Amino acid sequence: GSYYCTCPSGYRLGTDNHTCPDIDECLEGLTSCRQGCTNTAGSFQCTCELGYYLASDQYSCLDINECDRSNPHKVTQCCNQNCANTLGSFTCSCRQGFMLDDDNCTCNDIRECSRNNGGCQQICVELQGSHRCACRPGYTQHRFNPRQCNDINECQSNNGGCQQTCQNTAGSYQCSCGPLHKLGPDGKSCLHCPSCQSFTAMEQMMQSLSQQVNQLREEVRILRNGERKGNTSFVEINTSSTTGSTPSVITPLPPTELPSTNQGSGDTGDDDEDNYVKAILESVP
């Protein structure tokens, strides 16, 4: 002649013997969850901490290998070089020549050359993740210590290319010549100059004479073409720089005394001009 109430799993009969309040299995420690627990209506759900995933038994938590980019849990690491998996997490590290940034993910190249020139005696060359030492021209790297540079004695090889004397210097060398010789424009050959006190002065004189001969040729052309009828034209040949004498003045022949051109012989006007210039130059004191 009576009744009683019952409750489904996850609930228990209340003190009024009529209602069925939910059982908080997580709070009462009635679960087998290895890490976290979330209560639900009439049940509960095991959860895992960051870096773990719930195993198939729905109680255990297994570590996620963040370094494995193919893991199915869509949890990846941020390392741009080396990654080491740890329980529930991971750590980043860098290869030699790189340094881990403050974000603990990015590896930045260490600028070795900016600190003490990378330990190099002369030149430091930055490389990706490293550096190397080099030497200036005239030096070679030490056989056993590439950070050091040794001077190359160029004079030991074919006399440095010098025709006469080779003098080694730090990182270079210098050719020189004996008496009555002057070092040539190539800096190696020695040019003989037995009759002049100043080879440089002689070179300057020859250049000046060449310019004046060209000027004289132009004067001859003008006279031949009658462009200066009735005028006296002359070219001054200056040889005083080496002989100490007064400048010589050359006065060309008047136009009427210029050598005539033989039209039938095949000779050219240029030949006449050459002969004329030659005759004038021979009159130079």
Side-chain angles (χ1 to χ4, degrees), residues 119-171:
C120 303
Q121 182 181 8
Q122 291 187 359
I123 301 173
C124 182
V125 181
E126 288 284 0
L127 301 175
Q128 185 69 19
S130 182
H131 74 291
R132 67 177 179 86
C133 297
C135 299
R136 295 190 294 268
Y139 293 86
T140 184
Q141 285 181 294
H142 192 279
R143 181 179 178 183
F144 302 108
N145 184 3
R147 297 174 181 269
Q148 301 297 315
C149 295
N150 294 334
D151 175 54
I152 298 174
N153 188 345
E154 296 85 354
C155 297
Q156 291 181 344
S157 176
N158 194 30
N159 199 40
C162 303
Q163 185 175 355
Q164 291 189 9
T165 304
C166 180
Q167 177 65 47
N168 186 58
T169 61

Side-chain angles (χ1 to χ4, degrees), residues 3 33 62 64 108 112 151 163 190 214 228 242 244 249 270:
Y3 69 94
C33 296
L62 301 178
I64 297 174
N108 297 320
E112 294 92 348
D151 175 54
Q163 185 175 355
C190 293
N214 290 333
R228 291 191 179 181
T242 58
V249 177
D270 289 341

Side-chain angles (χ1 to χ4, degrees), residues 224 258-273:
R224 284 182 58 84
L258 287 173
S260 60
T261 303
N262 187 350
Q263 299 294 335
S265 64
D267 293 338
T268 63
D270 289 341
D271 292 336
D272 292 338
E273 291 178 7

Side-chain angles (χ1 to χ4, degrees), residues 25 38 40 50 55 60 93 125 158 185 191 206 232 242:
E25 296 88 353
T38 301
T40 61
L50 184 66
S60 305
S93 61
V125 181
N158 194 30
L191 305 180
M206 295 302 295
T232 300
T242 58

Side-chain angles (χ1 to χ4, degrees), residues 78-80 82 90-93 100-107:
C78 61
C79 308
N80 69 342
N82 302 327
F90 63 93
T91 57
C92 299
S93 61
L100 193 63
D101 202 350
D102 292 338
D103 62 3
N104 292 321
C105 293
T106 307
C107 293

